[in-house]
Amino acid sequence: MFTKSIFPLLFYILFLSARSGAAMTVSQPGCEQRENPLGVDVPQPRLNWILESSERGDRQTAYQILAASSEAALKKNRGDIWDSGKVISDDTIQIPFAGQPLKSSQQIFWKVRVWDAAGKVSAWSPTASWTMGVLAGGDPPSSDFGAAGWQAKWITAPTNASSILLRREFTVKNGLRRAIVHVCGLGQYELSANGKKVGDDLLAPGWTQYKKTCLYDTLDLTSQLHRGQNAVGLILGNGMYHIGGDKVRYVKFRQSFGPLKAIAQIQLDYADGTSEIIGTDASWPAGASPTTFNDIFAGEDFDARLVQKGWDESGFQMVAKWLPSKETSGPGGTLKGLSCAAPPIRAIEMLQPIAAKVLSTNVIIYDLGQNVSQMPRLTVSGARGSFVRIIPAELLKPDGTVDRASCTQDGVRPAWWQYTLSGDGDEHWFPKFFYQGCRYYQVELQPANGGGSLPKIKKLEGVVVHSSAKPIGEFETSNQLFNRIYQLVRWAQRSNMMSLMTDCPHREKLGWLEETHLNGPSLRYNFDMAALLQKTMNDMADAQLPNGFVPNIAPEFFIASKTNLTDAFRNSPEWGGAFVMVAWQQFQFDGNTALLRRYYEDMKRYVAFLGSTATNHIVTTGLGDWYDLGPKPPWGSQLTPPALTATAFYQHYNWILARTAELLGQPDEAKHFNELAEKICTAFNDKFFNPTTRQYATGSQCANSLAVVMNLVEPTNRAAVLEAIVADVRGRGNALTAGDVGYRYLLRALAENGRSDVIFDMNNQSEKPGYGYQLKMGATSLTEKWDAGVGNFGSQNHFMLGQINEWFFHDLGGIAIDPAHPGFKNILIRPQPVGDVTWAKCAYNSIPGRIAVEWKSVDGKFSLSVKIPANTTATVFVPTTNLKTLTEGGRSVEKVAGVKLLREEISGAVFQVSSGNYQFASEWAAKHP
């Protein structure tokens, strides 16, 4: 929960008498930080809501929650499942359900009202609901469904295939009130009912270490069923579960967790209070799929001649090729629902080709205009047996054909979608099991065997597919290059935001872990990452070995070395330490200790493993500042010793464990980790600090910045180390050298010490490797290498170097977390006007509500508009050269209730304010160091 503080109460008391008495409103009620979720598989779901008020300084003083078994009961204000009564509290998130014990598949309706700062009660929130998943873990079956457990069995086809169909007919009686299904289809599945797809999800379920965790989804079937005979169908594909079919096409690696299989149970609830369960078993027939090939790296082939019309509808006449399915066991993983699931992948938007160039009679190049994770939507007509092959790529060769060099390790092997026509007029196709990061489609038209006419493309679109995590950040500035950089990074974030954060959406599609924390703030300022990163924490826990080691990748589909834990490609502390960093960053952003509590013991085991590999507290294994800019082509860490970065992070993890132990009420453990962190800090300085140069190791941007940001520098040396960072950047003509690990810390070292002017000069250019240079070279999403891979193609869609977006929000815009009040309970507003930027505006939908900042600097005048959500406070820095001219709402700040001057600084003044909207204005002339 939020850290408590007495000072906000003092401000509220000062102006309560001036309030108009308008009650606050409650909106966006959520469960497990989702809207009306299905499949909640924790016994005490956590509830949350947002407060809105037109009054400055308004706050929640109490709340009441009603939870009921029906909407009718709730409308009568009857909480037959839970009535919390009036609870004196200002908490609005992570409120644990404390009503009657919940059952599998149960639907709960709820609402909340609150009391404001004046003691007035609000209206009830909109009605919300959540639906429970299956509460028992483990492999089915369980006979006690009423309380928990599965009443279904894993099933598979009697013969192996790249894709299979499963179906089941059943009767629905009169009075159907609700129908839901819990379903897991491995590797990927699509469910249909009475001939229509159920829901909007794609590539479900999320990828996991299937021997540890298998995710199931909960879907509502009610609107798609009717009285009488009904049918459901499941089509299964490979996903990350089975890789390595066609040797001609590209695969990153080969692996299999076994044959395709599924488990599902449908629950039919009737108005008379009865229920019926229909679970998967041997009575579900299995048939051949028209998807003849699918591989998450190599592509997907679909033969429309093999479509069996009506296969997922009632009354379908099965032919001999349909056989009884086989009951089997799962791959070993525990079935889990929303507690470990990322937001579903969905079609987000449509791209129309901006150009179509005919290279020959049967080859056309379509330019979608944007490099992004996508799947094609095709409309085509032609002769039966003719086919369309769509080869995706990020780049083009000089001859105009697609260049797969950035999409594969060898630069040669292709991947494609292929559709074979049935010859039945206009045909429509959208793939199910393969997506790719690309900008271009090379469309190859082929006649049927024996020749004939070519198929004709009627329409071809690119469907952008990625996680449905909510966008929650907005940023814009007067500097158009910065606006383009922001979008460049954001496109790469989107492209790699699947059921895990992938490194790239084509060549690897793997969860390299360093990106989740080095880009953690940049991601969180743009999207609601709580659910996706909760899933990532489960992936890391599943990947952890008994000795505490956490690999660089999770889920660990690709293992660099199964026996050698000194192999940096499997063991690098900056990567595996995401297990500590992700949980800590999430606590900072939402004030919730849940992840820290759940994984604290596992986090300790990981840090203890690092300690076991250290010599005199120095850790030497690791990749270091990956892809920094040195004299050689990007690879490894050229300018910074890997031991320096590894040891710096090892110290930082101990520091975090100490803070975590304090939060969890473990003072003895906090003392232990603090003492260990101090010892590592001493060893770090003894090993790497050069008292002559007053720099660390090689004096690289990464080495010095890590030491500054992680407080490893002795106070007497701090100014000298910071100046060395500035001098290095300036001495290179305002060029960066820091790579994957170091760049975030370079930005933080400069911004936190008043040198955003250096950041501006480093990034407001297009001539040296960096963001502007990538844009100049034609990139539309952030590339893997600072130089855009010129002459040595790297991925053209990588988000790993996207830390600038944190600076845009945190520093240029000025929305920051107060470390003393996590979860934006007290908000730090500190814009940093810099360079030629004359205005900036950003907004962030934080866990308590919407924060918005807009500032302008014109002709010696500075204006700052700030929106602070109800139930919070803020510390606001206003640039000014003359405090006497500073006003709020046109009045001297001294006369404004709820605005208190905390201190004056050289370049401005700092105020404490209550919630509400503020308009500051002052005299100010930009000064640069």
Side-chain angles (χ1 to χ4, degrees):
M1 299 301 168
F2 292 128
T3 304
K4 307 297 181 186
S5 175
I6 190 65
F7 77 83
L9 298 176
L10 300 177
F11 294 102
Y12 299 133
I13 294 170
L14 289 175
F15 60 86
L16 280 179
S17 58
R19 288 170 47 87
S20 65
M24 65 171 53
T25 59
V26 187
S27 64
Q28 301 178 48
C31 174
E32 292 295 304
Q33 294 185 232
R34 291 172 166 93
E35 182 180 350
N36 300 323
L38 305 176
V40 176
D41 58 333
V42 293
Q44 288 187 293
R46 299 162 298 175
L47 307 179
N48 57 274
W49 54 87
I50 296 289
L51 302 175
E52 297 175 1
S53 177
S54 59
E55 296 285 349
R56 282 189 179 179
D58 215 348
R59 59 185 276 267
Q60 174 186 296
T61 56
Y63 67 79
Q64 181 184 12
I65 298 171
L66 295 181
S69 57
S70 67
E71 287 188 271
L74 202 62
K75 286 179 180 178
K76 297 177 181 178
N77 294 330
R78 282 198 304 113
D80 60 347
I81 292 179
W82 182 36
D83 182 345
S84 71
K86 185 177 181 180
V87 179
I88 306 301
S89 172
D90 67 349
D91 290 334
T92 61
I93 67 164
Q94 311 301 326
I95 311 299
F97 171 80
Q100 298 177 13
L102 300 172
K103 298 180 179 181
S104 293
S105 305
Q106 184 177 4
Q107 186 175 23
I108 297 90
F109 300 90
W110 72 285
K111 61 183 179 180
V112 59
R113 62 178 179 176
V114 303
W115 283 260
D116 66 10
K120 293 193 64 175
V121 66
S122 73
W124 289 102
S125 71
T127 296
S129 72
W130 79 84
T131 297
M132 299 303 293
V134 183
L135 290 180
D139 212 22
S142 170
S143 60
D144 185 17
F145 177 78
W150 286 82
Q151 288 192 10
K153 298 176 181 178
W154 286 98
I155 58 173
T156 187
T159 58
N160 289 334
S162 183
S163 174
I164 60 174
L165 306 178
L166 299 166
R167 70 183 307 272
R168 177 69 149 82
E169 291 197 28
F170 56 93
T171 301
V172 173
K173 300 181 293 187
N174 283 334
L176 180 68
R177 181 178 60 83
R178 185 187 65 144
I180 62 169
V181 60
H182 309 291
V183 55
C184 174
L186 299 177
Q188 316 269 202
Y189 79 89
E190 188 173 288
L191 176 71
S192 55
N194 292 324
K196 182 181 178 182
K197 179 181 175 178
V198 178
D200 302 319
D201 301 354
L202 302 172
L203 302 168
W207 303 341
T208 58
Q209 167 48 264
Y210 301 103
K211 293 182 179 179
K212 298 287 188 68
T213 295
C214 295
L215 296 175
Y216 68 87
D217 299 313
T218 299
L219 305 170
D220 194 315
L221 298 173
T222 310
S223 64
Q224 289 181 233
L225 302 185
H226 51 255
R227 177 188 171 189
Q229 282 297 106
N230 293 261
V232 294
L234 273 171
I235 178 169
L236 304 182
N238 290 316
M240 276 288 183
Y241 180 82
H242 179 82
I243 297 169
D246 191 333
K247 294 182 180 179
V248 174
R249 303 195 214 178
Y250 172 73
V251 292
K252 168 69 176 177
F253 52 87
R254 297 178 184 275
Q255 72 170 4
S256 179
F257 290 88
L260 303 183
K261 59 187 63 175
I263 184 170
Q265 64 185 36
I266 300 167
Q267 179 166 334
L268 306 176
D269 294 333
Y270 293 97
D272 62 4
T274 61
S275 295
E276 181 182 357
I277 303 297
I278 302 162
T280 46
D281 55 24
S283 68
W284 289 56
S289 166
T291 300
T292 57
F293 173 85
N294 70 98
D295 186 283
I296 199 63
F297 291 110
E300 182 173 354
D301 297 350
F302 185 91
D303 191 337
R305 297 171 299 179
L306 304 179
V307 170
Q308 301 179 62
K309 294 182 179 180
W311 74 273
D312 53 357
E313 299 179 48
S314 61
F316 173 68
Q317 298 298 310
M318 291 183 289
V319 296
K321 291 184 178 180
W322 284 84
L323 301 171
S325 59
K326 290 169 47 181
E327 294 180 6
T328 186
S329 59
T334 301
L335 283 160
K336 298 178 182 179
L338 283 190
S339 63
C340 299
I345 298 166
R346 288 182 177 150
I348 305 299
E349 63 180 281
M350 197 81 71
L351 299 178
Q352 302 297 329
I354 62 172
K357 185 175 182 180
V358 178
L359 297 187
S360 64
T361 55
N362 70 325
V363 177
I364 309 170
I365 301 296
Y366 287 83
D367 181 356
L368 280 301
Q370 177 62 52
N371 189 351
V372 67
S373 54
Q374 57 181 294
M375 301 164 78
R377 187 180 300 278
L378 173 69
T379 301
V380 62
S381 64
R384 182 178 178 84
S386 61
F387 66 87
V388 178
R389 179 175 294 174
I390 304 171
I391 303 174
E394 299 184 297
L395 301 163
L396 296 178
K397 295 178 181 178
D399 66 1
T401 60
V402 292
D403 189 343
R404 294 273 303 164
S406 67
C407 299
T408 65
Q409 288 171 304
D410 59 15
V412 177
R413 296 188 180 183
W416 63 67
W417 297 275
Q418 184 166 300
Y419 180 81
T420 300
L421 281 71
S422 67
D424 188 17
D426 284 354
E427 303 180 37
H428 307 276
W429 183 59
F430 181 64
K432 301 181 187 298
F433 303 123
F434 174 66
Y435 78 97
Q436 181 90 137
C438 63
R439 173 176 173 172
Y440 302 98
Y441 292 158
Q442 180 167 303
V443 176
E444 300 178 354
L445 309 174
Q446 297 294 334
N449 290 338
S453 60
L454 298 175
K456 183 178 180 179
I457 303 293
K458 296 293 188 70
K459 193 172 187 180
L460 181 60
E461 302 166 303
V463 180
V464 177
V465 297
H466 58 69
S467 170
S468 55
K470 276 186 181 178
I472 57 175
E474 303 162 27
F475 172 82
E476 190 179 6
T477 174
S478 61
N479 186 304
Q480 292 306 309
L481 178 58
F482 283 0
N483 292 339
R484 294 179 65 205
I485 290 171
Y486 172 67
Q487 292 298 335
L488 183 82
V489 173
R490 197 171 182 275
W491 275 111
Q493 290 176 334
R494 292 175 61 184
S495 298
N496 288 286
M497 195 164 57
M498 307 303 283
S499 63
L500 56 130
M501 291 307 303
T502 62
D503 61 327
C504 60
H506 37 68
R507 187 180 68 227
E508 296 196 35
K509 300 183 179 178
L510 293 173
W512 290 92
L513 294 173
E514 92 289 1
E515 295 173 300
T516 60
H517 70 88
L518 295 170
N519 282 274
S522 288
L523 288 165
R524 288 181 178 89
Y525 273 120
N526 279 312
F527 300 96
D528 181 353
M529 298 297 295
L532 197 156
L533 291 175
Q534 178 175 271
K535 193 261 185 183
T536 299
M537 288 296 294
N538 185 74
D539 290 339
M540 290 188 280
D542 283 352
Q544 188 172 33
L545 299 186
N547 65 357
F549 166 74
V550 176
N552 292 0
I553 299 170
E556 197 180 17
F557 298 129
F558 173 76
I559 300 177
S561 174
K562 293 185 178 181
T563 57
N564 181 12
L565 295 188
T566 63
D567 184 335
F569 284 96
R570 194 180 186 202
N571 175 16
S572 191
E574 310 88 345
W575 275 247
F579 200 29
V580 178
M581 295 292 287
V582 168
W584 180 250
Q585 288 180 352
Q586 195 60 38
F587 163 69
Q588 291 176 307
F589 268 78
D590 67 14
N592 177 24
T593 61
L595 291 179
L596 294 173
R597 291 181 184 278
R598 185 185 304 176
Y599 295 107
Y600 176 59
E601 295 299 325
D602 294 329
M603 290 159 56
K604 288 193 318 184
R605 290 197 301 117
Y606 172 68
V607 177
F609 166 80
L610 291 183
S612 72
T613 69
T615 301
N616 296 325
H617 302 299
I618 301 297
V619 180
T620 58
T621 299
L623 294 171
D625 191 20
W626 181 253
Y627 268 33
D628 59 355
L629 280 171
K632 301 177 183 178
W635 187 260
S637 181
Q638 300 186 51
L639 304 181
T640 306
L644 183 145
T645 60
T647 304
F649 277 91
Y650 173 46
Q651 190 274 349
H652 191 55
Y653 301 153
N654 277 280
W655 181 88
I656 290 174
L657 287 180
R659 309 286 83 71
T660 302
E662 291 169 356
L663 287 168
L664 303 184
Q666 302 287 340
D668 291 341
E669 293 194 3
K671 180 182 178 183
H672 163 74
F673 289 118
N674 274 324
E675 291 174 349
L676 185 52
E678 290 176 7
K679 291 177 181 178
I680 300 167
C681 182
T682 299
F684 180 88
N685 280 283
D686 290 345
K687 176 74 173 178
F688 299 110
F689 184 69
N690 185 329
T692 302
T693 63
R694 300 181 78 181
Q695 297 186 56
Y696 284 84
T698 57
S700 69
Q701 294 173 7
C702 172
N704 286 330
S705 297
L706 276 174
V708 168
V709 177
M710 293 182 176
N711 291 314
L712 294 165
V713 186
E714 293 292 337
T716 55
N717 296 321
R718 188 175 180 88
V721 176
L722 179 65
E723 183 52 41
I725 298 171
V726 174
D728 187 89
V729 175
R730 296 298 195 202
R732 297 175 185 274
N734 295 317
L736 63 89
T737 63
D740 183 17
V741 172
Y743 186 62
R744 177 180 185 244
Y745 292 90
L746 173 61
L747 295 177
R748 300 311 324 136
L750 293 169
E752 290 171 9
N753 291 279
R755 298 310 306 266
S756 278
D757 62 304
V758 181
I759 297 174
F760 175 86
D761 292 337
M762 194 166 49
N763 290 286
N764 188 44
Q765 56 86 21
S766 303
E767 301 307 313
K768 298 179 176 67
Y771 302 114
Y773 186 78
Q774 292 182 20
L775 288 165
K776 180 181 177 181
M777 298 304 294
T780 59
S781 62
L782 185 64
T783 69
E784 182 179 14
K785 302 177 182 180
W786 283 122
D787 65 358
V790 176
N792 181 16
F793 287 147
S795 165
Q796 299 294 295
N797 197 335
H798 243 70
F799 77 100
M800 77 177 185
L801 298 173
Q803 297 95 331
I804 191 70
N805 276 17
E806 177 183 4
W807 181 75
F808 285 150
F809 280 89
H810 187 283
D811 303 292
L812 188 58
I815 298 175
I817 296 165
D818 184 344
H821 305 275
F824 294 95
K825 189 64 173 176
N826 184 66
I827 302 153
L828 300 184
I829 304 295
R830 192 180 183 92
Q832 295 189 23
V834 66
D836 64 3
V837 181
T838 58
W839 61 264
K841 53 185 177 182
C842 62
Y844 173 65
N845 294 333
S846 71
I847 194 76
R850 185 174 177 82
I851 305 166
V853 173
E854 182 172 355
W855 62 261
K856 295 181 181 179
S857 176
V858 180
D859 297 331
K861 303 290 184 181
F862 188 86
S863 62
L864 175 65
S865 299
V866 180
K867 174 181 175 59
I868 305 301
N871 211 40
T872 69
T873 57
T875 304
V876 181
F877 170 80
V878 183
T880 183
T881 52
N882 186 349
L883 183 62
K884 293 181 180 179
T885 67
L886 206 156
T887 62
E888 193 287 309
R891 295 187 298 162
S892 171
V893 289
E894 298 175 352
K895 300 178 181 180
V896 179
V899 177
K900 178 183 178 182
L901 177 65
L902 295 180
R903 63 184 180 275
E904 294 183 53
E905 296 182 358
I906 295 175
S907 56
V910 180
F911 299 90
Q912 188 67 37
V913 305
S914 55
S915 62
N917 298 321
Y918 296 87
Q919 302 285 336
F920 292 97
S922 68
E923 291 182 0
W924 182 74
K927 295 180 180 180
H928 301 296

